[in-house]
């Protein structure tokens, strides 16, 4: 089964040039990994500056083989000191849905990360999938995907970026997805800004956003494809 790995690295704003140079090296290295099916790299415009990396692997076995030389998080952790604020966040995920309109170039993108309460995960998945399918009927999106986290070792799972820890909880405990809920990742791309605005203004999209605001911790990144 294909495995999607989402990696998010927040950079030191004073070291943006160094971060870009490092990301180019990491991109070239990752793209040469055996077992890699696809890689997408984005730079966030807000909130703050960060890089979002999506890598798709043929299987979990190929992903495990990549750990030493080609895994994004490993390469980020090997960066010179001071470029990245904190250790990068990373989630292992399975695809739920995907959409691509090859003739529409993705000029604008956004990533939605939602940590959903365990008892609400199935409802959120159903509603989110239905909303994306309905909106894909209209030629607004150029590319989109929805993925859901899978169970992994506590040391490699990660919470939402920059989310505060509950009082008395350690970082290690916070990194266990089974205790916190289910992470969903939604990547959306549009041919231009007007299409993005139309997508979010749609009643279907607004209904899902309302559901997420009631049942999840949500983090949204405005992205530029690299």
């Amino acid at each position: 089964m294909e495995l999607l790995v989402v990696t998010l690295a927040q950079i030191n704003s004073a070291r943006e040039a160094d971060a870009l140079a490092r990301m180019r090296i990491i991109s070239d290295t990752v793209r040469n990994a055996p077992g890699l099916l696809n890689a997408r790299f984005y730079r966030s415009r807000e909130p703050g500056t960060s890089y979002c990396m999506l890598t798709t692997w043929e299987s979990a076995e190929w992903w495990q083989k990549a750990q030493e030389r080609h895994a994004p998080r490993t390469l980020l952790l090997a960066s010179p000191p001071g470029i990245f604020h904190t250790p990068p966040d990373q989630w292992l995920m399975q695809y739920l849905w995907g959409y691509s309109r090859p003739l529409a170039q993705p000029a604008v993108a956004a990533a939605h990360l939602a940590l959903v309460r365990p008892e609400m995960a199935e409802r959120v998945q159903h509603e989110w999938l239905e909303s994306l399918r309905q909106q894909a009927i209209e030629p607004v999106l150029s590319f989109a995907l929805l993925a859901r986290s899978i169970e992994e070792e506590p040391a490699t799972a990660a919470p939402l970026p920059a989310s505060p820890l509950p009082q008395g909880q350690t970082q290690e405990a916070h990194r266990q997805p089974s205790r916190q809920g289910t992470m969903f990742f939604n990547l959306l791309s549009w041919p231009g800004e007007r299409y993005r605005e139309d997508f979010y203004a749609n009643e279907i999209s607004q209904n899902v956003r309302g559901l997420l605001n009631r049942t999840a911790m949500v983090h949204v990144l405005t992205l530029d494809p690299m």
Side-chain angles (χ1 to χ4, degrees), residues 7-11 16-31 40-43 50-54 72 75-76 79 83-84 226:
T7 310
L8 185 64
Q10 299 178 354
I11 74 168
E16 286 199 38
D18 293 334
L20 178 59
R22 179 62 183 167
M23 286 302 304
R24 286 172 175 163
I25 293 172
I26 291 175
S27 173
D28 290 342
T29 302
V30 170
R31 291 182 193 279
R40 295 175 181 269
F41 293 79
Y42 298 87
R43 183 184 183 277
S50 60
Y51 287 97
C52 182
M53 292 158 277
L54 310 182
L75 295 169
L76 286 164
S79 302
I83 294 179
F84 300 100
M226 292 180 60

PDB file of all heavy atoms in Angstrom, residues 7-11 16-31 40-43 50-54 72 75-76 79 83-84 226:
ATOM      1  N   THR A   7       5.918  16.185   5.816  1.00  0.00           N
ATOM      2  CA  THR A   7       6.973  16.731   6.678  1.00  0.00           C
ATOM      3  C   THR A   7       6.882  18.248   6.657  1.00  0.00           C
ATOM      4  O   THR A   7       6.809  18.861   5.584  1.00  0.00           O
ATOM      5  CB  THR A   7       8.368  16.290   6.200  1.00  0.00           C
ATOM      6  OG1 THR A   7       8.375  14.875   5.994  1.00  0.00           O
ATOM      7  CG2 THR A   7       9.430  16.646   7.217  1.00  0.00           C
ATOM      8  N   LEU A   8       6.902  18.865   7.828  1.00  0.00           N
ATOM      9  CA  LEU A   8       6.761  20.312   7.953  1.00  0.00           C
ATOM     10  C   LEU A   8       7.906  20.870   8.784  1.00  0.00           C
ATOM     11  O   LEU A   8       8.128  20.436   9.919  1.00  0.00           O
ATOM     12  CB  LEU A   8       5.426  20.650   8.613  1.00  0.00           C
ATOM     13  CG  LEU A   8       5.046  22.125   8.721  1.00  0.00           C
ATOM     14  CD1 LEU A   8       4.879  22.738   7.338  1.00  0.00           C
ATOM     15  CD2 LEU A   8       3.761  22.289   9.524  1.00  0.00           C
ATOM     16  N   ALA A   9       8.636  21.822   8.212  1.00  0.00           N
ATOM     17  CA  ALA A   9       9.798  22.420   8.886  1.00  0.00           C
ATOM     18  C   ALA A   9       9.629  23.928   8.964  1.00  0.00           C
ATOM     19  O   ALA A   9       9.450  24.597   7.933  1.00  0.00           O
ATOM     20  CB  ALA A   9      11.082  22.076   8.139  1.00  0.00           C
ATOM     21  N   GLN A  10       9.685  24.478  10.162  1.00  0.00           N
ATOM     22  CA  GLN A  10       9.581  25.916  10.369  1.00  0.00           C
ATOM     23  C   GLN A  10      10.981  26.522  10.406  1.00  0.00           C
ATOM     24  O   GLN A  10      11.837  26.072  11.161  1.00  0.00           O
ATOM     25  CB  GLN A  10       8.834  26.204  11.666  1.00  0.00           C
ATOM     26  CG  GLN A  10       7.413  25.669  11.665  1.00  0.00           C
ATOM     27  CD  GLN A  10       6.693  25.908  12.975  1.00  0.00           C
ATOM     28  OE1 GLN A  10       7.286  26.375  13.945  1.00  0.00           O
ATOM     29  NE2 GLN A  10       5.420  25.583  13.013  1.00  0.00           N
ATOM     30  N   ILE A  11      11.207  27.562   9.602  1.00  0.00           N
ATOM     31  CA  ILE A  11      12.563  28.090   9.475  1.00  0.00           C
ATOM     32  C   ILE A  11      12.755  29.348  10.308  1.00  0.00           C
ATOM     33  O   ILE A  11      11.807  30.034  10.693  1.00  0.00           O
ATOM     34  CB  ILE A  11      12.914  28.378   8.006  1.00  0.00           C
ATOM     35  CG1 ILE A  11      12.203  29.646   7.508  1.00  0.00           C
ATOM     36  CG2 ILE A  11      12.571  27.201   7.112  1.00  0.00           C
ATOM     37  CD1 ILE A  11      12.715  30.138   6.182  1.00  0.00           C
ATOM     38  N   GLU A  16      16.639  32.722   5.953  1.00  0.00           N
ATOM     39  CA  GLU A  16      15.814  32.258   4.831  1.00  0.00           C
ATOM     40  C   GLU A  16      16.655  31.804   3.645  1.00  0.00           C
ATOM     41  O   GLU A  16      16.346  30.802   2.997  1.00  0.00           O
ATOM     42  CB  GLU A  16      14.845  33.361   4.399  1.00  0.00           C
ATOM     43  CG  GLU A  16      13.683  33.557   5.363  1.00  0.00           C
ATOM     44  CD  GLU A  16      12.523  34.289   4.710  1.00  0.00           C
ATOM     45  OE1 GLU A  16      12.243  34.041   3.512  1.00  0.00           O
ATOM     46  OE2 GLU A  16      11.890  35.101   5.393  1.00  0.00           O
ATOM     47  N   ALA A  17      17.717  32.532   3.328  1.00  0.00           N
ATOM     48  CA  ALA A  17      18.558  32.156   2.193  1.00  0.00           C
ATOM     49  C   ALA A  17      19.230  30.807   2.446  1.00  0.00           C
ATOM     50  O   ALA A  17      19.292  29.951   1.554  1.00  0.00           O
ATOM     51  CB  ALA A  17      19.606  33.237   1.933  1.00  0.00           C
ATOM     52  N   ASP A  18      19.705  30.604   3.675  1.00  0.00           N
ATOM     53  CA  ASP A  18      20.328  29.324   4.023  1.00  0.00           C
ATOM     54  C   ASP A  18      19.301  28.190   3.970  1.00  0.00           C
ATOM     55  O   ASP A  18      19.613  27.069   3.533  1.00  0.00           O
ATOM     56  CB  ASP A  18      20.942  29.395   5.419  1.00  0.00           C
ATOM     57  CG  ASP A  18      22.120  30.354   5.489  1.00  0.00           C
ATOM     58  OD1 ASP A  18      22.765  30.569   4.446  1.00  0.00           O
ATOM     59  OD2 ASP A  18      22.380  30.886   6.579  1.00  0.00           O
ATOM     60  N   ALA A  19      18.082  28.484   4.436  1.00  0.00           N
ATOM     61  CA  ALA A  19      17.036  27.464   4.426  1.00  0.00           C
ATOM     62  C   ALA A  19      16.683  27.054   3.002  1.00  0.00           C
ATOM     63  O   ALA A  19      16.506  25.865   2.713  1.00  0.00           O
ATOM     64  CB  ALA A  19      15.800  27.984   5.154  1.00  0.00           C
ATOM     65  N   LEU A  20      16.574  28.027   2.091  1.00  0.00           N
ATOM     66  CA  LEU A  20      16.251  27.715   0.702  1.00  0.00           C
ATOM     67  C   LEU A  20      17.346  26.860   0.065  1.00  0.00           C
ATOM     68  O   LEU A  20      17.057  25.874  -0.641  1.00  0.00           O
ATOM     69  CB  LEU A  20      16.064  29.003  -0.098  1.00  0.00           C
ATOM     70  CG  LEU A  20      15.756  28.832  -1.582  1.00  0.00           C
ATOM     71  CD1 LEU A  20      14.489  28.018  -1.791  1.00  0.00           C
ATOM     72  CD2 LEU A  20      15.639  30.200  -2.263  1.00  0.00           C
ATOM     73  N   ALA A  21      18.590  27.216   0.330  1.00  0.00           N
ATOM     74  CA  ALA A  21      19.699  26.433  -0.215  1.00  0.00           C
ATOM     75  C   ALA A  21      19.679  25.003   0.330  1.00  0.00           C
ATOM     76  O   ALA A  21      19.900  24.036  -0.413  1.00  0.00           O
ATOM     77  CB  ALA A  21      21.029  27.109   0.117  1.00  0.00           C
ATOM     78  N   ARG A  22      19.399  24.870   1.616  1.00  0.00           N
ATOM     79  CA  ARG A  22      19.335  23.542   2.222  1.00  0.00           C
ATOM     80  C   ARG A  22      18.173  22.734   1.642  1.00  0.00           C
ATOM     81  O   ARG A  22      18.313  21.532   1.375  1.00  0.00           O
ATOM     82  CB  ARG A  22      19.185  23.679   3.743  1.00  0.00           C
ATOM     83  CG  ARG A  22      19.087  22.357   4.490  1.00  0.00           C
ATOM     84  CD  ARG A  22      20.334  21.525   4.315  1.00  0.00           C
ATOM     85  NE  ARG A  22      20.209  20.235   4.975  1.00  0.00           N
ATOM     86  CZ  ARG A  22      21.030  19.218   4.787  1.00  0.00           C
ATOM     87  NH1 ARG A  22      22.051  19.339   3.951  1.00  0.00           N
ATOM     88  NH2 ARG A  22      20.845  18.071   5.421  1.00  0.00           N
ATOM     89  N   MET A  23      17.030  23.388   1.436  1.00  0.00           N
ATOM     90  CA  MET A  23      15.868  22.688   0.906  1.00  0.00           C
ATOM     91  C   MET A  23      16.122  22.196  -0.523  1.00  0.00           C
ATOM     92  O   MET A  23      15.630  21.135  -0.915  1.00  0.00           O
ATOM     93  CB  MET A  23      14.641  23.595   0.933  1.00  0.00           C
ATOM     94  CG  MET A  23      14.062  23.808   2.320  1.00  0.00           C
ATOM     95  SD  MET A  23      13.599  22.245   3.125  1.00  0.00           S
ATOM     96  CE  MET A  23      12.498  21.554   1.921  1.00  0.00           C
ATOM     97  N   ARG A  24      16.877  22.944  -1.298  1.00  0.00           N
ATOM     98  CA  ARG A  24      17.198  22.488  -2.659  1.00  0.00           C
ATOM     99  C   ARG A  24      18.049  21.224  -2.613  1.00  0.00           C
ATOM    100  O   ARG A  24      17.866  20.306  -3.421  1.00  0.00           O
ATOM    101  CB  ARG A  24      17.906  23.606  -3.409  1.00  0.00           C
ATOM    102  CG  ARG A  24      16.953  24.733  -3.832  1.00  0.00           C
ATOM    103  CD  ARG A  24      17.689  25.915  -4.402  1.00  0.00           C
ATOM    104  NE  ARG A  24      16.750  26.920  -4.912  1.00  0.00           N
ATOM    105  CZ  ARG A  24      17.081  28.173  -5.169  1.00  0.00           C
ATOM    106  NH1 ARG A  24      18.339  28.586  -4.967  1.00  0.00           N
ATOM    107  NH2 ARG A  24      16.180  29.024  -5.630  1.00  0.00           N
ATOM    108  N   ILE A  25      18.980  21.172  -1.679  1.00  0.00           N
ATOM    109  CA  ILE A  25      19.811  19.974  -1.520  1.00  0.00           C
ATOM    110  C   ILE A  25      18.948  18.790  -1.087  1.00  0.00           C
ATOM    111  O   ILE A  25      19.062  17.680  -1.620  1.00  0.00           O
ATOM    112  CB  ILE A  25      20.928  20.234  -0.493  1.00  0.00           C
ATOM    113  CG1 ILE A  25      21.915  21.266  -1.035  1.00  0.00           C
ATOM    114  CG2 ILE A  25      21.656  18.935  -0.142  1.00  0.00           C
ATOM    115  CD1 ILE A  25      22.944  21.716  -0.016  1.00  0.00           C
ATOM    116  N   ILE A  26      18.067  19.042  -0.110  1.00  0.00           N
ATOM    117  CA  ILE A  26      17.192  17.970   0.384  1.00  0.00           C
ATOM    118  C   ILE A  26      16.268  17.483  -0.725  1.00  0.00           C
ATOM    119  O   ILE A  26      16.058  16.277  -0.898  1.00  0.00           O
ATOM    120  CB  ILE A  26      16.385  18.474   1.599  1.00  0.00           C
ATOM    121  CG1 ILE A  26      17.328  18.675   2.796  1.00  0.00           C
ATOM    122  CG2 ILE A  26      15.261  17.497   1.949  1.00  0.00           C
ATOM    123  CD1 ILE A  26      16.660  19.292   4.004  1.00  0.00           C
ATOM    124  N   SER A  27      15.730  18.410  -1.517  1.00  0.00           N
ATOM    125  CA  SER A  27      14.842  18.037  -2.608  1.00  0.00           C
ATOM    126  C   SER A  27      15.555  17.129  -3.608  1.00  0.00           C
ATOM    127  O   SER A  27      15.019  16.090  -4.018  1.00  0.00           O
ATOM    128  CB  SER A  27      14.338  19.297  -3.320  1.00  0.00           C
ATOM    129  OG  SER A  27      13.608  18.966  -4.472  1.00  0.00           O
ATOM    130  N   ASP A  28      16.767  17.497  -4.001  1.00  0.00           N
ATOM    131  CA  ASP A  28      17.519  16.679  -4.952  1.00  0.00           C
ATOM    132  C   ASP A  28      17.821  15.294  -4.378  1.00  0.00           C
ATOM    133  O   ASP A  28      17.766  14.283  -5.085  1.00  0.00           O
ATOM    134  CB  ASP A  28      18.830  17.378  -5.319  1.00  0.00           C
ATOM    135  CG  ASP A  28      18.603  18.618  -6.171  1.00  0.00           C
ATOM    136  OD1 ASP A  28      17.512  18.741  -6.758  1.00  0.00           O
ATOM    137  OD2 ASP A  28      19.518  19.466  -6.235  1.00  0.00           O
ATOM    138  N   THR A  29      18.127  15.252  -3.085  1.00  0.00           N
ATOM    139  CA  THR A  29      18.452  13.974  -2.447  1.00  0.00           C
ATOM    140  C   THR A  29      17.227  13.071  -2.361  1.00  0.00           C
ATOM    141  O   THR A  29      17.281  11.883  -2.707  1.00  0.00           O
ATOM    142  CB  THR A  29      19.015  14.214  -1.031  1.00  0.00           C
ATOM    143  OG1 THR A  29      20.173  15.048  -1.116  1.00  0.00           O
ATOM    144  CG2 THR A  29      19.392  12.899  -0.369  1.00  0.00           C
ATOM    145  N   VAL A  30      16.109  13.626  -1.912  1.00  0.00           N
ATOM    146  CA  VAL A  30      14.897  12.834  -1.736  1.00  0.00           C
ATOM    147  C   VAL A  30      14.397  12.285  -3.064  1.00  0.00           C
ATOM    148  O   VAL A  30      13.955  11.130  -3.161  1.00  0.00           O
ATOM    149  CB  VAL A  30      13.799  13.673  -1.050  1.00  0.00           C
ATOM    150  CG1 VAL A  30      12.460  12.950  -1.077  1.00  0.00           C
ATOM    151  CG2 VAL A  30      14.190  13.992   0.384  1.00  0.00           C
ATOM    152  N   ARG A  31      14.462  13.087  -4.128  1.00  0.00           N
ATOM    153  CA  ARG A  31      13.930  12.670  -5.423  1.00  0.00           C
ATOM    154  C   ARG A  31      14.685  11.477  -6.012  1.00  0.00           C
ATOM    155  O   ARG A  31      14.185  10.823  -6.934  1.00  0.00           O
ATOM    156  CB  ARG A  31      13.952  13.849  -6.398  1.00  0.00           C
ATOM    157  CG  ARG A  31      12.959  14.953  -6.033  1.00  0.00           C
ATOM    158  CD  ARG A  31      12.988  16.077  -7.041  1.00  0.00           C
ATOM    159  NE  ARG A  31      12.299  17.261  -6.562  1.00  0.00           N
ATOM    160  CZ  ARG A  31      10.980  17.442  -6.598  1.00  0.00           C
ATOM    161  NH1 ARG A  31      10.213  16.491  -7.090  1.00  0.00           N
ATOM    162  NH2 ARG A  31      10.445  18.567  -6.142  1.00  0.00           N
ATOM    163  N   ARG A  40       6.515  16.374  -3.652  1.00  0.00           N
ATOM    164  CA  ARG A  40       6.054  17.745  -3.852  1.00  0.00           C
ATOM    165  C   ARG A  40       6.607  18.605  -2.722  1.00  0.00           C
ATOM    166  O   ARG A  40       6.547  18.212  -1.557  1.00  0.00           O
ATOM    167  CB  ARG A  40       4.523  17.829  -3.856  1.00  0.00           C
ATOM    168  CG  ARG A  40       3.864  17.108  -5.017  1.00  0.00           C
ATOM    169  CD  ARG A  40       2.335  17.133  -4.890  1.00  0.00           C
ATOM    170  NE  ARG A  40       1.690  16.434  -5.971  1.00  0.00           N
ATOM    171  CZ  ARG A  40       1.296  17.008  -7.117  1.00  0.00           C
ATOM    172  NH1 ARG A  40       1.469  18.308  -7.264  1.00  0.00           N
ATOM    173  NH2 ARG A  40       0.714  16.298  -8.061  1.00  0.00           N
ATOM    174  N   PHE A  41       7.122  19.780  -3.087  1.00  0.00           N
ATOM    175  CA  PHE A  41       7.721  20.679  -2.110  1.00  0.00           C
ATOM    176  C   PHE A  41       7.050  22.039  -2.213  1.00  0.00           C
ATOM    177  O   PHE A  41       6.835  22.560  -3.310  1.00  0.00           O
ATOM    178  CB  PHE A  41       9.226  20.818  -2.354  1.00  0.00           C
ATOM    179  CG  PHE A  41      10.001  19.547  -2.102  1.00  0.00           C
ATOM    180  CD1 PHE A  41      10.024  18.528  -3.035  1.00  0.00           C
ATOM    181  CD2 PHE A  41      10.702  19.378  -0.916  1.00  0.00           C
ATOM    182  CE1 PHE A  41      10.724  17.353  -2.803  1.00  0.00           C
ATOM    183  CE2 PHE A  41      11.408  18.211  -0.672  1.00  0.00           C
ATOM    184  CZ  PHE A  41      11.418  17.199  -1.622  1.00  0.00           C
ATOM    185  N   TYR A  42       6.737  22.609  -1.036  1.00  0.00           N
ATOM    186  CA  TYR A  42       6.056  23.895  -0.978  1.00  0.00           C
ATOM    187  C   TYR A  42       6.719  24.797   0.054  1.00  0.00           C
ATOM    188  O   TYR A  42       7.267  24.315   1.054  1.00  0.00           O
ATOM    189  CB  TYR A  42       4.583  23.713  -0.587  1.00  0.00           C
ATOM    190  CG  TYR A  42       3.770  22.890  -1.557  1.00  0.00           C
ATOM    191  CD1 TYR A  42       3.714  21.497  -1.455  1.00  0.00           C
ATOM    192  CD2 TYR A  42       3.035  23.501  -2.566  1.00  0.00           C
ATOM    193  CE1 TYR A  42       2.960  20.739  -2.339  1.00  0.00           C
ATOM    194  CE2 TYR A  42       2.275  22.745  -3.455  1.00  0.00           C
ATOM    195  CZ  TYR A  42       2.249  21.369  -3.335  1.00  0.00           C
ATOM    196  OH  TYR A  42       1.504  20.622  -4.208  1.00  0.00           O
ATOM    197  N   ARG A  43       6.611  26.091  -0.182  1.00  0.00           N
ATOM    198  CA  ARG A  43       7.055  27.091   0.795  1.00  0.00           C
ATOM    199  C   ARG A  43       5.830  27.852   1.268  1.00  0.00           C
ATOM    200  O   ARG A  43       5.015  28.305   0.461  1.00  0.00           O
ATOM    201  CB  ARG A  43       8.054  28.060   0.154  1.00  0.00           C
ATOM    202  CG  ARG A  43       8.612  29.095   1.113  1.00  0.00           C
ATOM    203  CD  ARG A  43       9.518  30.067   0.366  1.00  0.00           C
ATOM    204  NE  ARG A  43      10.124  31.036   1.244  1.00  0.00           N
ATOM    205  CZ  ARG A  43       9.553  32.158   1.666  1.00  0.00           C
ATOM    206  NH1 ARG A  43       8.305  32.436   1.273  1.00  0.00           N
ATOM    207  NH2 ARG A  43      10.186  32.989   2.469  1.00  0.00           N
ATOM    208  N   SER A  50       7.717  28.429   6.467  1.00  0.00           N
ATOM    209  CA  SER A  50       8.031  27.026   6.669  1.00  0.00           C
ATOM    210  C   SER A  50       8.032  26.325   5.320  1.00  0.00           C
ATOM    211  O   SER A  50       7.617  26.883   4.300  1.00  0.00           O
ATOM    212  CB  SER A  50       7.033  26.369   7.629  1.00  0.00           C
ATOM    213  OG  SER A  50       5.718  26.462   7.118  1.00  0.00           O
ATOM    214  N   TYR A  51       8.522  25.107   5.330  1.00  0.00           N
ATOM    215  CA  TYR A  51       8.513  24.279   4.134  1.00  0.00           C
ATOM    216  C   TYR A  51       7.679  23.036   4.404  1.00  0.00           C
ATOM    217  O   TYR A  51       7.787  22.417   5.465  1.00  0.00           O
ATOM    218  CB  TYR A  51       9.930  23.878   3.728  1.00  0.00           C
ATOM    219  CG  TYR A  51      10.718  25.033   3.126  1.00  0.00           C
ATOM    220  CD1 TYR A  51      11.589  25.788   3.898  1.00  0.00           C
ATOM    221  CD2 TYR A  51      10.561  25.370   1.785  1.00  0.00           C
ATOM    222  CE1 TYR A  51      12.295  26.851   3.353  1.00  0.00           C
ATOM    223  CE2 TYR A  51      11.252  26.429   1.224  1.00  0.00           C
ATOM    224  CZ  TYR A  51      12.118  27.165   2.011  1.00  0.00           C
ATOM    225  OH  TYR A  51      12.808  28.220   1.469  1.00  0.00           O
ATOM    226  N   CYS A  52       6.850  22.688   3.427  1.00  0.00           N
ATOM    227  CA  CYS A  52       6.002  21.514   3.520  1.00  0.00           C
ATOM    228  C   CYS A  52       6.414  20.531   2.427  1.00  0.00           C
ATOM    229  O   CYS A  52       6.457  20.904   1.243  1.00  0.00           O
ATOM    230  CB  CYS A  52       4.533  21.905   3.357  1.00  0.00           C
ATOM    231  SG  CYS A  52       3.368  20.533   3.521  1.00  0.00           S
ATOM    232  N   MET A  53       6.740  19.310   2.824  1.00  0.00           N
ATOM    233  CA  MET A  53       7.211  18.293   1.882  1.00  0.00           C
ATOM    234  C   MET A  53       6.260  17.106   1.891  1.00  0.00           C
ATOM    235  O   MET A  53       5.939  16.577   2.954  1.00  0.00           O
ATOM    236  CB  MET A  53       8.617  17.833   2.277  1.00  0.00           C
ATOM    237  CG  MET A  53       9.680  18.905   2.087  1.00  0.00           C
ATOM    238  SD  MET A  53      11.143  18.605   3.094  1.00  0.00           S
ATOM    239  CE  MET A  53      10.601  19.311   4.650  1.00  0.00           C
ATOM    240  N   LEU A  54       5.822  16.700   0.707  1.00  0.00           N
ATOM    241  CA  LEU A  54       4.960  15.526   0.558  1.00  0.00           C
ATOM    242  C   LEU A  54       5.717  14.493  -0.255  1.00  0.00           C
ATOM    243  O   LEU A  54       6.090  14.761  -1.405  1.00  0.00           O
ATOM    244  CB  LEU A  54       3.662  15.881  -0.157  1.00  0.00           C
ATOM    245  CG  LEU A  54       2.867  17.086   0.339  1.00  0.00           C
ATOM    246  CD1 LEU A  54       1.603  17.238  -0.473  1.00  0.00           C
ATOM    247  CD2 LEU A  54       2.549  16.946   1.804  1.00  0.00           C
ATOM    248  N   PRO A  72      13.017  12.761   4.558  1.00  0.00           N
ATOM    249  CA  PRO A  72      13.050  14.217   4.725  1.00  0.00           C
ATOM    250  C   PRO A  72      13.399  14.682   6.135  1.00  0.00           C
ATOM    251  O   PRO A  72      14.213  15.588   6.306  1.00  0.00           O
ATOM    252  CB  PRO A  72      11.631  14.645   4.332  1.00  0.00           C
ATOM    253  CG  PRO A  72      11.169  13.583   3.393  1.00  0.00           C
ATOM    254  CD  PRO A  72      11.772  12.313   3.907  1.00  0.00           C
ATOM    255  N   LEU A  75      17.099  14.255   6.906  1.00  0.00           N
ATOM    256  CA  LEU A  75      17.906  15.250   6.212  1.00  0.00           C
ATOM    257  C   LEU A  75      17.757  16.636   6.839  1.00  0.00           C
ATOM    258  O   LEU A  75      18.726  17.399   6.927  1.00  0.00           O
ATOM    259  CB  LEU A  75      17.510  15.290   4.733  1.00  0.00           C
ATOM    260  CG  LEU A  75      17.801  14.002   3.948  1.00  0.00           C
ATOM    261  CD1 LEU A  75      17.122  14.047   2.589  1.00  0.00           C
ATOM    262  CD2 LEU A  75      19.303  13.810   3.790  1.00  0.00           C
ATOM    263  N   LEU A  76      16.556  16.957   7.280  1.00  0.00           N
ATOM    264  CA  LEU A  76      16.350  18.247   7.945  1.00  0.00           C
ATOM    265  C   LEU A  76      17.107  18.320   9.271  1.00  0.00           C
ATOM    266  O   LEU A  76      17.711  19.349   9.605  1.00  0.00           O
ATOM    267  CB  LEU A  76      14.859  18.476   8.177  1.00  0.00           C
ATOM    268  CG  LEU A  76      14.029  18.827   6.942  1.00  0.00           C
ATOM    269  CD1 LEU A  76      12.552  18.638   7.220  1.00  0.00           C
ATOM    270  CD2 LEU A  76      14.313  20.262   6.492  1.00  0.00           C
ATOM    271  N   SER A  79      20.718  19.354   9.123  1.00  0.00           N
ATOM    272  CA  SER A  79      21.019  20.697   8.633  1.00  0.00           C
ATOM    273  C   SER A  79      21.920  21.448   9.606  1.00  0.00           C
ATOM    274  O   SER A  79      21.936  21.154  10.804  1.00  0.00           O
ATOM    275  CB  SER A  79      19.722  21.487   8.432  1.00  0.00           C
ATOM    276  OG  SER A  79      18.857  20.830   7.532  1.00  0.00           O
ATOM    277  N   ILE A  83      19.170  27.080  11.309  1.00  0.00           N
ATOM    278  CA  ILE A  83      18.338  27.310  10.124  1.00  0.00           C
ATOM    279  C   ILE A  83      16.864  27.077  10.441  1.00  0.00           C
ATOM    280  O   ILE A  83      15.988  27.838  10.015  1.00  0.00           O
ATOM    281  CB  ILE A  83      18.785  26.401   8.959  1.00  0.00           C
ATOM    282  CG1 ILE A  83      20.188  26.794   8.490  1.00  0.00           C
ATOM    283  CG2 ILE A  83      17.800  26.501   7.795  1.00  0.00           C
ATOM    284  CD1 ILE A  83      20.714  25.939   7.351  1.00  0.00           C
ATOM    285  N   PHE A  84      16.577  26.017  11.195  1.00  0.00           N
ATOM    286  CA  PHE A  84      15.203  25.666  11.536  1.00  0.00           C
ATOM    287  C   PHE A  84      14.961  25.876  13.023  1.00  0.00           C
ATOM    288  O   PHE A  84      15.807  25.555  13.852  1.00  0.00           O
ATOM    289  CB  PHE A  84      14.914  24.219  11.137  1.00  0.00           C
ATOM    290  CG  PHE A  84      15.084  23.983   9.663  1.00  0.00           C
ATOM    291  CD1 PHE A  84      16.238  23.392   9.175  1.00  0.00           C
ATOM    292  CD2 PHE A  84      14.105  24.373   8.764  1.00  0.00           C
ATOM    293  CE1 PHE A  84      16.415  23.181   7.817  1.00  0.00           C
ATOM    294  CE2 PHE A  84      14.269  24.169   7.397  1.00  0.00           C
ATOM    295  CZ  PHE A  84      15.428  23.578   6.927  1.00  0.00           C
ATOM    296  N   MET A 226       7.055  24.809  -5.073  1.00  0.00           N
ATOM    297  CA  MET A 226       8.471  25.027  -5.382  1.00  0.00           C
ATOM    298  C   MET A 226       8.842  24.262  -6.667  1.00  0.00           C
ATOM    299  O   MET A 226       8.303  23.212  -6.943  1.00  0.00           O
ATOM    300  CB  MET A 226       9.340  24.525  -4.224  1.00  0.00           C
ATOM    301  CG  MET A 226       9.202  25.352  -2.954  1.00  0.00           C
ATOM    302  SD  MET A 226      10.263  24.693  -1.621  1.00  0.00           S
ATOM    303  CE  MET A 226      11.891  24.846  -2.382  1.00  0.00           C
TER     304      MET A 226
END
